[in-house]
């Protein structure tokens, strides 16, 4: 276990989302956290995952170093895009959309926000993946584009952890599964009985992040602190 410096600065991207809001709330209440900056499509500056210039401008707006960056963005479905139950349902536009938001966008977040992490102390970058992105854990099939986009995200996290780890041996770069959480994203697929509140999920994931040693960088964890296979 390694601790972030007292009074650490945190950035939450996707701060207006269900789980992102939970992270912002819990970080505001955290005794060691000195500053929390929330970014999303509706903040100033606005950060849109499909517009690299907006990601770069948002990173520049931070003005200085941060110790903790959490990417809580992501997309599963809406009226136009639904998870595929079979190969027959595969659709090029849906695949491109899921990959743009769940894999390429977070990769660009890593490109522009990881340089804000100092190299001389413990720092953390975490992105919200999903257990269904685990290839080893896939026993049900279906949800092709969402699963594949999260598997791609996991590979990007692994690559970035190696690159950042060469410059800072105290860095922790990980993917997280938040559990099934009461948000708009899971509303169509789960009942409240089975879901965690966003605050509970965020609080449990912060505990996991603050408990993990830097040696665990480049790995995938659930909200209970259990490792998930790739
Ligand atoms: N909820 C669950 O049960 C569950 C389970 C497993 C994994 N996850 C993962 O957890 C993460 C957060 O999900 P959530 O449940 O909190 O969903 P959510 O409430 O729908 O939040 C999604 C967030 O992603 C942002 N976003 C989407 N498209 C964007 C874009 N083009 N540019 C910038 N931001 C964009 C949204 O921004 P706006 O506010 O601007 O729309 C919002 O902040 C996702 O990666 C999801 O895959 C969730």
């Amino acid at each position: 276990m390694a601790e972030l410096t007292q009074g650490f600065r945190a950035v939450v991207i996707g701060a207006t989302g269900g789980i992102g809001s939970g992270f912002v709330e819990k970080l505001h209440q955290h005794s060691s956290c000195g500053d929390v900056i929330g970014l999303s499509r509706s903040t100033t500056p606005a950060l849109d995952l499909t517009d690299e210039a907006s990601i770069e401008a948002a990173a520049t707006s931070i003005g200085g170093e941060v110790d903790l960056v959490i990417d809580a963005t992501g997309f599963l479905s809406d009226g136009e895009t639904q998870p595929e139950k079979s190969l027959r349902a595969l659709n090029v536009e849906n695949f491109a959309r899921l990959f743009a938001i769940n894999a390429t966008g977070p990769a660009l977040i890593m490109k522009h926000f990881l340089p804000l992490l100092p190299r001389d102390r413990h720092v953390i970058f975490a992105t919200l993946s999903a257990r269904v992105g685990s290839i080893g854990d896939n026993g049900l099939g279906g949800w092709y584009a969402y699963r594949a986009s999260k598997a791609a995200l996991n590979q990007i996290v692994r690559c970035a952890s190696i690159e950042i780890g060469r410059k800072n041996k105290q860095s922790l770069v990980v993917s997280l599964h938040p559990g099934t959480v009461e948000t708009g994203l899971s509303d169509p697929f789960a009942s409240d009985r089975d879901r965690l509140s966003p605050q509970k999920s965020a609080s449990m994931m912060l505990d996991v992040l603050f408990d993990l040693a830097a040696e665990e960088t480049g790995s995938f964890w659930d909200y209970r602190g259990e490792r998930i296979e790739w």
Side-chain angles (χ1 to χ4, degrees):
M1 172 180 173
E3 283 186 18
L4 292 179
T5 192
Q6 181 65 31
F8 69 83
R9 258 182 124 200
V11 174
V12 177
I13 302 165
T16 46
I19 301 171
S21 317
F23 274 120
V24 172
E25 188 180 324
K26 290 295 163 191
L27 283 165
H28 272 304
Q29 294 165 2
H30 196 281
S31 57
S32 298
C33 182
D35 188 19
V36 188
I37 300 159
L39 292 168
S40 77
R41 284 184 287 191
S42 46
T43 53
T44 307
L47 182 155
D48 188 325
L49 294 169
T50 60
D51 173 6
E52 183 175 358
S54 79
I55 299 173
E56 185 173 12
T60 305
S61 79
I62 299 299
E65 297 176 336
V66 287
D67 304 284
L68 170 64
V69 177
I70 296 177
D71 166 29
T73 63
F75 173 70
L76 170 58
S77 69
D78 64 10
E80 284 171 27
T81 301
Q82 288 298 315
E84 314 88 346
K85 292 195 176 122
S86 72
L87 286 168
R88 277 195 316 278
L90 295 197
N91 168 289
V92 173
E93 285 76 27
N94 289 349
F95 247 78
R97 189 173 178 198
L98 270 284
F99 269 74
I101 298 175
N102 291 339
T104 314
L108 294 172
I109 286 175
M110 291 179 228
K111 175 179 173 184
H112 293 290
F113 281 80
L114 288 179
L116 303 179
L117 300 173
R119 295 185 186 182
D120 60 351
R121 58 179 187 258
H122 182 53
V123 292
I124 301 174
F125 174 84
T127 188
L128 293 191
S129 181
R131 184 182 296 279
V132 295
S134 164
I135 294 172
D137 187 66
N138 184 356
L140 285 176
W143 292 34
Y144 285 84
Y146 185 69
R147 283 184 188 275
S149 66
K150 292 295 192 181
L153 171 63
N154 288 343
Q155 181 67 281
I156 294 160
V157 164
R158 179 74 177 191
C159 285
S161 74
I162 292 168
E163 183 174 336
I164 300 303
R166 288 194 189 111
K167 298 170 190 149
N168 182 351
K169 302 273 176 253
Q170 302 174 75
S171 57
L172 179 73
V173 176
V174 289
S175 291
L176 294 174
H177 168 64
T180 304
V181 186
E182 290 166 10
T183 70
L185 182 139
S186 70
D187 276 345
F189 307 100
S191 68
D192 281 348
R193 183 168 46 85
D194 306 323
R195 297 194 288 176
L196 295 166
S197 72
Q199 292 78 11
K200 179 75 179 166
S201 168
S203 169
M204 291 179 80
M205 286 189 284
L206 286 175
D207 287 346
V208 172
L209 290 176
F210 296 151
D211 274 351
L212 283 176
E215 289 72 28
E216 302 291 1
T217 197
S219 51
F220 187 15
W221 299 84
D222 79 5
Y223 62 102
R224 297 166 301 192
E226 288 177 17
R227 187 191 284 268
I228 303 174
E229 61 183 321
W230 292 123

